[in-house]
């Protein structure tokens, strides 16, 4: 996939995204843009659009027509001009112009917005119609599903080639050993600082064949990320950090980008595909900061000594685990069977002194 998609009017989205952040329309829909980037439920995104373009939700509607008697009069936030402004602000501004949300999420938002437009008997903008058709959204009466004469797909599956996969430029799933990524693949982006240029974007793959538990976001990830940013100087600066059960790597990448002084971040998970996805996310975020960033497969059963397994125990730990001075993790256990393994692994890790990292004055 290309890093930037060509939009309906033929303008490269990277080119347009470079200056859209300075426009008044973007500033008015900034809260909706942030919510859209981070995959907030679509009803809330639509409410934020309305608040940005029409004042408080409780305000009376303002007319969009040239005069009060215009048949097309209705809420101004649903006018053709507003629709185009919304699409520009949500889709063309960084980071979504390069790291688009999953096509199915975007289609749900477009359909919800279209429902509001149709309910008020207002005109659809050409770009919104094209976005709905491209996503395969069925619409609410005036819209038809996309029909592609030379492809049996419903349109959503084309997102890997049409919308950009975060800068790889190849449009496929080679990094995960598949020919093409599933249609529910996309990015979630989070603004830790109030600056889209410093957002952290992570690829999510919800399809079960990609071990979905490690390819989606879990609530405690945000708590860990917020804690890390708030306590970086006191708890993380100067340390080699290992994150257990990293999933898509959001918390680790936020630590690397927004926690000054961290020496290294190694994100770990149990499955190869999950770790490959973390490495992809680290590449897309440019390593995310000054810290050394890596991702490794880690099976908790190999951490403690095991008389029946010659490869287990501290003597066989990889260098990143022997150097670790801080362990972090969130939402680590999904079923009871893994609890025993986690407790044993933590006991072994906490009981074993860390080795000094090369060039470090010492390890805490």
């Amino acid at each position: 996939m290309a890093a930037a998609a060509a939009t309906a009017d033929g303008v490269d989205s990277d080119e347009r995204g470079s200056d859209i952040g300075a426009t008044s329309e973007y500033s008015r829909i900034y809260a909706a843009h942030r919510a859209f980037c981070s995959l907030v439920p679509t009803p809330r995104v639509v409410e934020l659009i309305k608040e940005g373009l029409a004042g408080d939700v409780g305000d009376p509607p303002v007319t969009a027509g040239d005069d009060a008697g215009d048949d097309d009069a209705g809420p101004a936030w649903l006018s053709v001009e507003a629709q185009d402004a919304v699409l520009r602000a949500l889709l063309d501004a960084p980071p979504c112009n390069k790291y688009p949300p999953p096509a199915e999420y975007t289609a749900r938002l477009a359909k919800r917005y279209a429902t509001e437009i149709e309910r008020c008997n207002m005109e659809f903008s050409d770009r919104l119609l094209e976005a709905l058709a491209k996503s395969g959204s069925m619409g609410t009466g005036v819209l038809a599903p996309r029909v592609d004469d030379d492809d049996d797909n419903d349109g959503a599956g084309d997102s890997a080639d049409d919308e950009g996969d975060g800068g790889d430029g190849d449009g496929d799933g080679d990094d995960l050993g598949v020919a093409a990524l599933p249609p529910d693949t996309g990015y979630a982006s989070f603004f830790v600082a109030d600056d889209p240029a410093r957002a952290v974007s992570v690829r999510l793959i919800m399809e079960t064949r990609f071990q979905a538990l490690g390819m989606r976001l879990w609530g405690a990830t945000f708590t860990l990320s917020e804690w890390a940013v708030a306590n970086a100087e006191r708890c993380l600066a100067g340390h080699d950090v290992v994150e257990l059960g990293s999933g898509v790597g959001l918390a680790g990448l936020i630590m690397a980008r927004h926690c000054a002084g961290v020496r290294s971040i190694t994100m770990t998970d149990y499955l190869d595909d999950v770790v490959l996805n973390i490495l992809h996310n680290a590449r897309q975020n440019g390593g995310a900061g000054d810290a050394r960033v890596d991702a490794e497969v880690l099976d908790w059963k190999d951490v403690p000594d095991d008389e029946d397994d010659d490869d287990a125990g501290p003597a066989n730990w990889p260098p990143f685990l022997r150097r670790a001075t801080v362990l972090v993790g969130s939402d680590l256990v999904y079923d009871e069977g893994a609890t025993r393994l986690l407790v044993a692994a933590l006991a072994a890790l906490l009981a074993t002194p860390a080795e000094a990292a090369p060039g470090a004055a010492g390890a805490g």
Side-chain angles (χ1 to χ4, degrees), residues 327-338:
L327 300 173
V328 296
S330 62
D331 269 330
L332 295 174
V333 178
Y334 187 74
D335 61 76
E336 293 184 10

Side-chain angles (χ1 to χ4, degrees), residues 291-361:
R292 184 174 67 251
V293 177
D294 205 354
E296 300 281 353
V297 173
L298 179 64
D299 189 337
W300 294 341
K301 72 178 179 59
D302 292 335
V303 176
D305 280 315
D306 186 342
E307 60 184 18
D308 297 325
D309 186 351
D310 293 337
D311 294 327
N316 298 291
W317 287 356
F320 78 87
L321 209 53
R322 295 199 301 268
R323 291 196 305 266
T325 54
V326 171
L327 300 173
V328 296
S330 62
D331 269 330
L332 295 174
V333 178
Y334 187 74
D335 61 76
E336 293 184 10
T339 304
R340 177 181 56 82
L341 295 176
L342 174 61
V343 171
L346 287 174
L349 288 165
L350 295 174
T352 305
E355 296 180 359

Side-chain angles (χ1 to χ4, degrees), residues 16-36:
R16 181 163 48 195
S18 63
D19 60 4
I20 192 171
T23 64
S24 60
E25 67 190 30
Y26 176 75
S27 64
R28 295 176 68 188
I29 315 176
Y30 177 70
H33 175 64
R34 285 190 62 161
F36 174 70

Side-chain angles (χ1 to χ4, degrees), residues 113-344:
Y113 195 29
T115 300
E116 295 283 348
I117 295 166
E118 191 175 42
R119 183 175 60 83
C120 293
N121 197 29
M122 296 185 71
E123 181 183 353
F124 287 83
S125 80
D126 290 341
R127 190 177 178 196
L128 180 58
L129 284 171
E130 181 169 346
L132 286 162
K134 185 175 183 181
S135 70
S137 181
M138 292 296 291
T140 57
V142 299
L143 303 179
R146 178 181 181 185
V147 176
D148 193 332
D149 292 336
D150 54 7
D151 195 328
D152 292 331
N153 291 334
D154 67 357
D158 293 337
S159 63
D161 291 326
D162 293 343
E163 294 296 336
D165 72 345
D168 281 355
D170 53 16
D172 55 37
D174 283 349
D175 61 326
L176 293 174
V178 295
L181 295 170
D184 53 358
T185 299
Y187 289 84
S189 300
F190 300 89
F191 303 7
V192 178
D194 215 22
D195 179 5
R198 300 189 66 208
V200 173
S201 302
V202 290
R203 182 174 67 183
L204 313 175
I205 305 176
M206 308 303 288
E207 193 162 301
T208 54
R209 66 189 170 116
F210 284 98
Q211 302 295 334
L213 294 181
M215 298 291 196
R216 64 182 63 183
L217 289 165
W218 297 88
T221 299
F222 306 108
T223 302
L224 174 59
S225 301
E226 292 170 358
W227 172 88
V229 172
N231 295 279
E233 183 176 357
R234 182 169 62 91
C235 298
L236 301 177
H239 285 282
D240 293 291
V241 179
V242 169
E243 183 186 13
L244 305 177
S246 298
V248 296
L250 176 63
L253 292 171
I254 285 177
M255 290 179 212
R257 171 163 285 187
H258 294 282
C259 296
V262 176
R263 192 160 51 224
S264 70
I265 300 280
T266 303
M267 295 164 280
T268 69
D269 218 292
Y270 170 63
L271 295 165
D272 290 341
D273 279 349
V274 174
V275 172
L276 288 171
N277 193 53
I278 296 172
L279 290 169
H280 168 91
N281 288 333
R283 287 193 301 272
Q284 302 318 304
N285 287 278
D290 295 332
R292 184 174 67 251
V293 177
D294 205 354
E296 300 281 353
V297 173
L298 179 64
D299 189 337
W300 294 341
K301 72 178 179 59
D302 292 335
V303 176
D305 280 315
D306 186 342
E307 60 184 18
D308 297 325
D309 186 351
D310 293 337
D311 294 327
N316 298 291
W317 287 356
F320 78 87
L321 209 53
R322 295 199 301 268
R323 291 196 305 266
T325 54
V326 171
L327 300 173
V328 296
S330 62
D331 269 330
L332 295 174
V333 178
Y334 187 74
D335 61 76
E336 293 184 10
T339 304
R340 177 181 56 82
L341 295 176
L342 174 61
V343 171

